[in-house]
Amino acid sequence: MRRTGTPVRRTLLAVSAILSGAGLPDGLAGQDPFITQQSELFTNVTVIDGRGGPPRPSSSVLVSGGRIRDIGARGSVAAPDGTIVVDLSGAYLVPGFIDAHTSPQTTRDLRALLAAGITGVRDGATSLAAFEERGRGSFGEDPVPTVYVGGPVLEAGSASHGVVLASEAAAVAEVARQASDGAGFVSVASSVPPSWLVGIARAARRGEVPLWADRRDGGWLLALRAGSAVASPLVSGDSELLPESERGSFEALADAGQVPARIAWLERVEPDGPDVDRAVTALLSNDSALLPLLASASAPLDCPAEATPCTPLSDDEWTALQAAWPKAEALVQTFHGHGVRLLVGSDAPRTTPLGEGFHRELQLLVEAGIPALDVLGMATRNGAIELGQLHERGTIEIGKRADFLVLEANPLADIRNARRISLVVIDGRAWALGPDDAWRRVRFN
């Protein structure tokens, strides 16, 4: 079942739309006080539309009523009388980024994400009710990313968030409850025993709700076989992806806790081996996506100040991780080379800083050998696909929301240029971040 064709469920609605009035569904667009019919023509700009095609230099993008109305070569777009022409000579226009795995908790967090060009967020660690309870209900006219939430994360044992479950039967019942309540997706955490995953996945299929499996300690491949829509992370710690001769030694080290499991696992995995091939097959046969979370797996000696829980690596562990890291790069090349759909997520603020972790992920994917054009597609279009939002966001196309970034330099020449953001446009309204870290509405005239 393709998620792009599934109707957007109630709790998958953009929380920023519900709380601040931005990004309302089409039927309510006329009620949004911020959307006007003033037309603006962004011209003389290179468009990288997120669909995988080559960049289009000397282009024009017509925006009106919060939507993209036309796109074409400079001079070819017919603009209505009174249209304001915005010359962006030398700039690059790209879709707003989508962080497929982050958990902002405050308005300040959301603003930090927006400063990184992230206009869409999948909150993988909470529910709509919890989001509203955290005090993020009043933004005034300040811009914030659109946040998509599912039901509470399925947990087992002791947990700091989500819903703690005592048995597989309780987990299956919880999935059914979330599906009936209109959850946009169901998330299952690493603490849930692998033996529960088949039952959870079957319940998700019955409820026609996508399952996102975060499996840092095993059960990654099992969740995919059962039908998970998304699997993460790439450095999964799943012994099934190791050669059979290595599984016992890895599990012994992981149980003893003498070496971080991600390092012991990387040291033993064979990126081109038959065990990894089974994971490729499972992803492709299910049309599932992979959320690598490389920045999280390569967390350095110091954890983000706001990260909880987070255990920094020792000097020796950091050295061992660096030595094994080429295996992680080879793995991501393997999945990408076979056509697996990859997403971009930061795991912020758990293991990376908000905003910064997302751009670190982009850089690591490029360093692993994936072309920057493909990485930008992962950060935009692919994220929209998995959120069932490709009809609204993720690419620069006529009729879609006017959510995009204006970059000062070419991100295809250097992915770090994706940080060089001069304007963020949300629903057709342009914003710039001032030196005092305050957002200012940019009005062209």
Side-chain angles (χ1 to χ4, degrees), residues 33-297:
F34 300 140
I35 292 181
T36 70
Q37 292 303 313
Q38 173 64 61
S39 297
E40 292 168 344
L41 184 68
F42 297 88
T43 191
N44 202 24
V45 66
T46 297
V47 173
I48 302 172
D49 63 17
R51 297 190 296 170
R56 291 183 277 174
S58 300
S59 293
S60 296
V61 178
L62 179 64
V63 172
S64 178
R67 298 271 169 181
I68 297 172
R69 301 302 178 183
D70 200 359
I71 307 169
R74 182 181 57 188
S76 69
V77 176
D81 291 342
T83 296
I84 296 174
V85 178
V86 183
D87 192 329
L88 296 175
S89 298
Y92 293 78
L93 191 149
V94 302
F97 298 134
I98 296 175
D99 191 329
H101 190 78
T102 185
S103 300
Q105 298 185 27
T106 66
T107 301
R108 181 180 178 183
D109 290 349
L110 290 170
R111 290 172 178 159
L113 293 169
L114 192 66
I118 298 165
T119 62
V121 171
R122 172 189 166 266
D123 188 338
T126 188
S127 67
L128 180 59
F131 185 93
E132 294 182 65
E133 290 170 2
R134 286 175 178 175
R136 292 182 273 186
S138 178
F139 304 108
E141 292 193 15
D142 282 3
V144 291
T146 303
V147 182
Y148 300 94
V149 294
V153 179
L154 307 185
E155 303 256 14
S158 59
S160 58
H161 58 264
V163 55
V164 181
L165 304 161
S167 67
E168 179 182 351
V172 168
E174 175 63 18
V175 172
R177 185 195 68 77
Q178 291 188 20
S180 66
D181 283 351
F185 50 83
V186 172
S187 299
V188 57
S190 296
S191 59
V192 171
S195 60
W196 298 5
L197 292 176
V198 172
I200 289 171
R202 286 174 177 168
R205 284 202 304 277
R206 286 194 296 270
E208 297 186 346
V209 57
L211 178 65
W212 292 57
D214 185 345
R215 305 300 303 174
R216 298 163 198 263
D217 302 305
W220 190 88
L221 185 54
L222 180 60
L224 280 175
R225 285 172 175 159
S228 179
V230 179
S232 67
L234 176 69
V235 183
S236 64
D238 190 338
S239 60
E240 266 202 274
L241 272 69
L242 299 178
E244 190 169 356
S245 60
E246 297 285 356
R247 294 175 190 174
S249 62
F250 163 71
E251 290 169 353
L253 282 173
D255 290 343
Q258 297 174 351
V259 178
R262 57 182 155 162
I263 297 175
W265 187 85
L266 269 180
E267 290 173 338
R268 289 161 174 76
V269 73
E270 293 181 359
D272 296 319
D275 308 286
V276 172
D277 282 347
R278 287 198 294 272
V280 170
T281 299
L283 283 157
L284 293 176
S285 62
N286 292 340
D287 193 22
S288 299
L290 172 62
L291 181 60
L293 299 180
L294 294 179
S296 173

Side-chain angles (χ1 to χ4, degrees), residues 311-362:
T311 303
L313 299 177
S314 67
D315 289 347
D316 289 344
E317 290 168 345
W318 176 238
T319 299
L321 179 61
Q322 287 181 306
W325 193 249
K327 293 279 194 76
E329 294 179 327
L331 276 171
V332 79
Q333 287 179 22
T334 294
F335 287 107
H336 177 255
H338 281 88
V340 171
R341 188 168 54 256
L342 302 182
L343 311 178
V344 178
S346 65
D347 198 32
R350 184 176 182 268
T351 55
T352 70
L354 290 153
E356 172 63 29
F358 183 87
H359 283 279
R360 176 62 176 155
E361 185 79 0
L362 297 181

